[in-house]
Amino acid sequence: MHFSKTAEYAIRVLSYLHRHHETSHSVNVLHQELDLPYKYLTKLMTELAKKGLVNASRGREGGLSLARSADTIYLCDILEAIGESLEHERCILGFDKCDALNPCALHDQWVKPKEMIETMLTTTTLASLIQNKETKL
Amino acid sequence: MHFSKTAEYAIRVLSYLHRHHETSHSVNVLHQELDLPYKYLTKLMTELAKKGLVNASRGREGGLSLARSADTIYLCDILEAIGESLEHERCILGFDKCDALNPCALHDQWVKPKEMIETMLTTTTLASLIQNKETKL
DNA sequence: TATTATTACTACCTTTAGATAGTATATTAT
DNA sequence: ATAATATACTATCTAAAGGTAGTAATAATA
């Protein structure tokens, strides 16, 4: 019951780019600042660039920056970009189809937690994340 | 943002044992009735037996049955039995320590969904699961 | 134009969850 | 006792996520 490492990394990196949006940052800087595995980050950032969440430019003075305003980037956008869709319809017990008419044994109990998670993912933007000097990234 | 396969299997099997508690059931029967991988189930049931959730007896007329009343078995007990603890303190962004004083960027947004999940896991018993003929197991 | 700093690409390695195979051991009905 | 039916144990395989290595392509700047 948690995010994948990839999701964690993506959120942390994008949050960092938002907080330091005055300039672009190389993968190496992100790697050092956030203590994330360099080569894996390279791969991830390429993916996020393809999906249009970040601008990537090569060469000297190149690097990465947010492609859109942080208040238009929702957590669900980030998950989608890395191939982890919202799974609105994903059944908690893994069944293909599971709804009120044709429920799994846990369907009713899962309704509220599911809603809360969904709300969190669809209403939280990068810009709305906690940010102060003490906040962990 | 979902249960592991192992957790799914454990919940489904235990729910089945509850609904058919008049007798014990062999792994083979559970395998066929619930369409779960036989050998993997064998391993899982041995584990659940060790952890005291089911009684296992060998030989003819042997098989598996719930070791306790279904209204004393909570979802969190099941997760704990398979080594997936509640992770009360698990940070959504993977940080070791993350609390109100020393929060990660997502801490505030995660509070409510986390509570809902925790409530679900600590209040839902096997006995309280949906059960009718149509319910998927 | 040569150098340097950067991302992009291709291929492979590692770890872990999930799944399988074969054999040993226990129980009980006959 | 013996045969049949179970779980228990040990070892291994597979697939996917996570992570690494080396090289090619690109762009700024001196």
Side-chain angles (χ1 to χ4, degrees):
Chain A
M1 206 68 66
H2 53 274
F3 283 140
S4 67
K5 283 279 176 202
T6 306
E8 286 179 15
Y9 296 172
I11 294 169
R12 291 176 58 195
V13 163
L14 293 174
S15 181
Y16 183 92
L17 290 180
H18 165 50
R19 290 179 199 206
H20 302 86
H21 60 280
E22 62 287 343
T23 168
S24 66
H25 306 272
S26 69
V27 173
N28 192 41
V29 164
L30 298 171
H31 153 62
Q32 288 177 10
E33 290 295 316
L34 301 175
D35 193 28
L36 303 180
Y38 176 73
K39 284 289 191 178
Y40 196 66
L41 246 195
T42 300
K43 200 189 286 183
L44 174 59
M45 298 317 290
T46 299
E47 193 61 20
L48 293 179
K50 275 183 186 164
K51 294 298 166 53
L53 285 184
V54 298
N55 290 319
S57 65
R58 302 203 235 195
R60 277 194 168 197
E61 307 292 295
L64 302 150
S65 57
L66 285 189
R68 321 202 302 244
S69 169
D71 56 14
T72 69
I73 300 182
Y74 293 85
L75 291 185
C76 55
D77 298 333
I78 299 173
L79 293 184
E80 198 188 357
I82 60 174
E84 300 178 10
S85 63
L86 245 191
E87 316 180 20
H88 284 290
E89 303 308 326
R90 159 89 181 175
C91 168
I92 185 75
L93 285 186
F95 291 105
D96 280 350
K97 294 172 188 174
C98 174
D99 49 44
L101 284 174
N102 207 15
C104 74
L106 255 173
H107 187 80
D108 289 355
Q109 284 83 357
W110 183 234
V111 168
K112 279 190 182 173
K114 186 181 180 180
E115 267 181 21
M116 292 301 305
I117 293 172
E118 210 167 295
T119 299
M120 172 200 174
L121 296 178
T122 55
T123 65
T124 304
T125 64
L126 272 188
S128 69
L129 296 182
I130 303 178
Q131 31 181 338
N132 58 46
K133 285 180 185 171
E134 284 69 34
T135 308
K136 301 176 179 192
L137 277 182
Chain B
M1 207 66 69
H2 53 274
F3 284 139
S4 67
K5 283 280 177 201
T6 306
E8 286 177 16
Y9 294 172
I11 294 169
R12 291 175 60 194
V13 163
L14 293 174
S15 180
Y16 183 91
L17 290 180
H18 166 50
R19 290 180 200 205
H20 302 84
H21 60 281
E22 62 287 343
T23 170
S24 67
H25 306 271
S26 70
V27 174
N28 193 40
V29 164
L30 298 171
H31 153 63
Q32 288 176 10
E33 289 296 315
L34 301 175
D35 193 28
L36 303 180
Y38 175 73
K39 284 289 190 177
Y40 195 68
L41 245 196
T42 300
K43 198 189 288 180
L44 174 59
M45 298 318 290
T46 299
E47 192 63 18
L48 293 179
K50 275 184 186 163
K51 295 297 166 54
L53 284 184
V54 299
N55 290 319
S57 64
R58 302 203 237 197
R60 276 194 167 198
E61 307 291 296
L64 303 151
S65 57
L66 285 190
R68 321 201 303 244
S69 169
D71 55 14
T72 70
I73 300 181
Y74 292 85
L75 291 185
C76 54
D77 298 333
I78 300 173
L79 294 184
E80 198 188 357
I82 60 173
E84 300 178 10
S85 64
L86 244 190
E87 317 179 19
H88 284 291
E89 303 307 328
R90 159 88 180 176
C91 167
I92 184 77
L93 285 185
F95 291 104
D96 280 350
K97 296 171 187 174
C98 174
D99 50 44
L101 284 173
N102 208 16
C104 75
L106 255 173
H107 186 80
D108 289 354
Q109 283 84 358
W110 183 233
V111 168
K112 279 190 181 171
K114 186 181 180 181
E115 266 180 22
M116 291 302 305
I117 293 171
E118 212 167 293
T119 299
M120 172 200 174
L121 296 177
T122 57
T123 65
T124 304
T125 63
L126 273 188
S128 69
L129 296 182
I130 304 176
Q131 31 181 339
N132 58 45
K133 286 182 185 170
E134 283 70 36
T135 308
K136 300 178 182 191
L137 277 182

